[in-house]
Amino acid sequence: MTHDHDLELRPTAAQTEAALNPPAGRNGGDLVVETLRGLGAATVFGLPGQHALGMFDALRRSDLAYVGLRVENNAGFAADAYGRVTGEVAPLLLSTGPGALTSLAALQEAAAASAPVLAIGSQVPVAGLGGGRHGYLHELRDQQASFRDVVKSVHTVRTQSQIPSAIAAAWESALTAPHGPVWVEIPQDVLLAETTLPQVTAVDATPRDLVPRPELTAVAADLLTKAERPVIIAGGGVVRADASGKLRALAEKLDAPVVTTFGGKGAFPWEHPLSLRSWLEDRHTTDLLEDADVLLVVGSGLGELSSNYHTFRPRGRVIQIEADPGKLESNHPALGIHADARLALTALLETVGERHDPAAPERVAALLAKVRERIAAQGLTLEQDVLGAVRSALPDTSPSFWDMTILAYWAWSAFDARRPNTMHSAQGAGGLGYGFPAAIGAAAADPTRPVLAVSGDGGAMYSIAELATARQYGLNVTWLIVDDGGYGILREYMADAFGEATATELARPDFVALAESFGVPGVRTSPETLRDDLAKALAEPGPSVVVLPALLRMFAPTHLG
């Protein structure tokens, strides 16, 4: 008996001919590159090292674009951003030991933000595996153990025939909701040995759909239809699932106000009558969310930042749609629906009834007025003017990448990301140095639009080397560095907690002169000229640096009571 799928497994005549006559001079590294190409990769990031040279030599024989950064952690941030803005897997090629370990902070951010990064690292030769027996350079006792707590899945290779399957399995894992970073490990001798295996021509790694259970969406739809004061919290899962259109349609069908988390910026139109925007660090917003009789949480685990530092205490029913099972009901009891946000919202749209609540926009407007009054009373005009200048200078379709800096903390709450998937920050894991290398990854993904990076002077020092990368590849990245002479956020935290700050003041370079030494144009600006200087830098091709000397302050927190 012949099944239809049996026919699909038969190679074509061309595939058979190619398989029986592979080109000479290939090695295990070619199998890596061929598999990536077969899976649809177009661009890879990384940094070469002794044990990984087989992969990098194979790049020379391929048509994959390569973007080489100067520090592995920055290469990881670049791959993270590429994965976020494209929704595609971003391959990251790394060497053994120090090279691999240096990427861990970036992979932690990718895991927290659900970015599909495929890290492929080398290993010592097979004979040396087990640790300490042969004294190889870069050797670790158990390298994959260092990654197991950070990435979504680990895939090890010990022979050349395992390479295509391991990479395909990792690719599928990275793209199955929730997206995330994965680790593949291949020994040096496996990469370097000449191979007689045929070229990799057909690889299937289709991610599995995470479909909601219909009985759960039926209950959720009933709760929402009958709710008196429904509210929606939209998280990063809405953006990653490309579900902002579904979210808007559901909110309008229910007349339900929507607040977006800091990771979900752009998931709902900022100026929409039902938009509560992103003021999650505000007690007025927290009160409104607590008052909802049905709260729909889509694509958020309601972690520290999304729950106003765990002060949020919902009084109504919570419905939580989340692709990561570990985040389901992890912070609040809920009707937990384990599903991709787009599929779950589609199911709800088909089953909820129409709700008409003319008072909903009025409640939204009243809430936003309270927020404005609170901020206005704090005398923070400079900060709002600076953020407004950035918004005015940045084209609506241009992505922006924000480091952990005071202006970014403002942007989480107050910046209008006018399109979905255009504002990204390191708030998932919270490491410094994200902004500029991430912007490099986004610029490599789409060279047709300028990209903005925003850092403080402390965070900028993590990434200075990547000015050479931006110059080498001619990438359209403008880097705004807000120079306040130190770690501004930590300075505020310590001064508030202990009365004075320690270890926060920094000697730093003349950033304009430093940029120019890399061949990157730089300009020193002021709050008054920031908009024009930034707009000019963004409009010119290639990399640029804009330095704003300014001491910005955070708005006062309202999560303390």
Side-chain angles (χ1 to χ4, degrees):
M1 180 176 174
T2 302
H3 297 280
D4 288 342
H5 63 246
D6 292 337
L7 301 175
E8 298 170 10
L9 298 177
R10 296 174 186 170
T12 65
Q15 285 175 323
T16 301
E17 176 63 25
L20 296 176
N21 297 283
R26 292 162 62 247
N27 59 22
D30 287 280
L31 295 172
V32 173
V33 169
E34 290 164 9
T35 304
L36 291 175
R37 199 72 188 89
L39 288 164
T43 302
V44 300
F45 299 87
L47 204 154
Q50 176 181 326
H51 295 140
L53 294 181
M55 288 191 292
F56 284 83
D57 181 57
L59 280 177
R60 178 172 55 86
R61 292 184 287 278
S62 82
D63 60 354
L64 286 172
Y66 170 66
V67 180
L69 288 93
R70 303 305 191 266
V71 184
E72 286 87 355
N73 199 47
N74 293 336
F77 285 143
D80 166 300
Y82 185 99
R84 292 195 204 192
V85 300
T86 64
E88 300 167 2
V89 171
L92 171 65
L93 306 186
L94 301 167
S95 191
T96 316
L101 297 179
T102 302
S103 73
L104 280 171
L107 294 177
Q108 184 188 2
E109 176 59 40
S114 298
V117 176
L118 169 54
I120 304 177
S122 57
Q123 245 298 13
V124 300
V126 172
L129 294 173
R133 292 183 298 172
H134 292 76
Y136 285 105
L137 190 69
H138 307 330
E139 185 175 358
L140 291 165
R141 286 192 302 273
D142 187 358
Q143 179 173 270
Q144 62 183 283
S146 298
F147 289 83
R148 202 174 294 281
D149 186 46
V150 176
V151 300
K152 187 177 174 184
S153 58
V154 169
H155 309 260
T156 55
V157 168
R158 296 295 176 257
T159 66
Q160 288 183 342
S161 62
Q162 296 172 358
I163 288 174
S165 294
I167 292 176
W171 185 283
E172 180 180 328
S173 175
L175 275 188
T176 296
H179 293 176
V182 293
W183 172 253
V184 179
E185 188 174 280
I186 310 175
Q188 177 190 26
D189 51 341
V190 176
L191 289 170
L192 287 176
E194 188 172 346
T195 186
T196 57
L197 291 170
Q199 282 185 295
V200 183
T201 56
V203 196
D204 181 27
T206 305
R208 301 179 305 281
D209 285 337
L210 195 54
V211 181
R213 285 168 36 207
E215 73 274 16
L216 295 177
T217 53
V219 173
D222 184 65
L223 287 169
L224 289 165
T225 302
K226 294 175 179 175
E228 293 183 9
R229 297 177 310 283
V231 181
I232 300 172
I233 298 178
V238 176
V239 175
R240 287 186 291 275
D242 191 21
S244 56
K246 302 286 186 185
L247 172 70
R248 177 174 181 168
L250 182 66
E252 291 174 347
K253 192 170 183 179
L254 293 170
D255 264 346
V258 179
V259 64
T260 59
T261 70
F262 304 153
K265 298 287 290 187
F268 194 73
W270 190 255
E271 300 291 350
H272 194 285
L274 293 172
S275 175
L276 295 166
R277 303 187 176 177
S278 303
W279 287 99
L280 288 170
E281 286 188 63
D282 180 276
R283 191 63 223 178
H284 300 307
T285 303
T286 306
D287 289 343
L288 186 146
L289 295 174
E290 289 180 346
D291 185 56
D293 62 335
V294 178
L295 184 68
L296 174 62
V297 183
V298 191
S300 171
L302 292 181
E304 183 179 28
L305 297 180
S306 302
S307 61
N308 206 353
Y309 298 86
H310 295 303
T311 61
F312 168 57
R313 299 284 184 273
R315 294 191 293 272
R317 289 291 303 271
V318 178
I319 303 164
Q320 186 185 14
I321 295 167
E322 176 56 55
D324 184 344
K327 292 178 180 176
L328 270 183
E329 297 190 78
S330 60
N331 289 303
H332 299 282
L335 174 67
I337 302 176
H338 182 214
D340 175 79
R342 183 179 179 88
L343 298 176
L345 287 172
T346 300
L348 287 178
L349 264 176
E350 292 172 353
T351 46
V352 296
E354 293 264 0
R355 268 190 83 260
H356 295 292
D357 183 2
E362 296 170 20
R363 290 203 306 277
V364 169
L367 181 279
L368 294 178
K370 288 180 184 177
V371 173
R372 277 194 299 272
E373 288 168 16
R374 181 176 75 83
I375 298 298
Q378 297 181 27
L380 299 169
T381 306
L382 171 64
E383 290 75 7
Q384 295 178 78
D385 288 348
V386 168
L387 195 64
V390 174
R391 177 63 279 176
S392 181
L394 185 68
D396 288 0
T397 59
S398 281
S400 58
F401 294 84
W402 302 70
D403 219 326
M404 299 298 284
T405 186
I406 286 178
L407 191 59
Y409 282 43
W410 271 93
W412 291 347
S413 292
F415 192 76
D416 174 9
R418 292 178 182 158
R419 300 285 189 279
N421 204 21
T422 56
M423 180 182 168
H424 301 276
S425 70
Q427 54 92 23
L432 274 179
Y434 174 80
F436 188 56
I440 284 175
D446 183 358
T448 66
R449 57 184 180 177
V451 181
L452 175 67
V454 181
S455 301
D457 57 289
M461 292 302 290
Y462 280 65
S463 318
I464 288 297
E466 306 311 337
L467 284 168
T469 303
R471 177 72 279 158
Q472 180 171 345
Y473 294 98
L475 297 169
N476 298 323
V477 179
T478 293
W479 192 6
L480 172 62
I481 301 173
V482 182
D483 184 357
D484 66 3
Y487 299 122
I489 287 285
L490 301 180
R491 180 193 286 140
E492 280 209 16
Y493 286 169
M494 292 189 81
D496 289 346
F498 310 116
E500 60 181 295
T502 304
T504 59
E505 306 315 298
L506 301 174
R508 68 273 191 208
D510 178 336
F511 286 107
V512 172
L514 183 59
E516 290 174 344
S517 75
F518 282 92
V520 174
V523 62
R524 188 170 286 98
T525 190
S526 67
E528 294 74 28
T529 58
L530 173 61
R531 181 201 169 280
D532 291 343
D533 287 338
L534 200 55
K536 181 181 178 185
L538 286 161
E540 292 174 351
S544 56
V545 171
V546 178
V547 181
L548 173 66
L551 185 61
L552 305 180
R553 294 184 297 139
M554 272 301 295
F555 51 82
T558 59
H559 53 268
L560 302 179

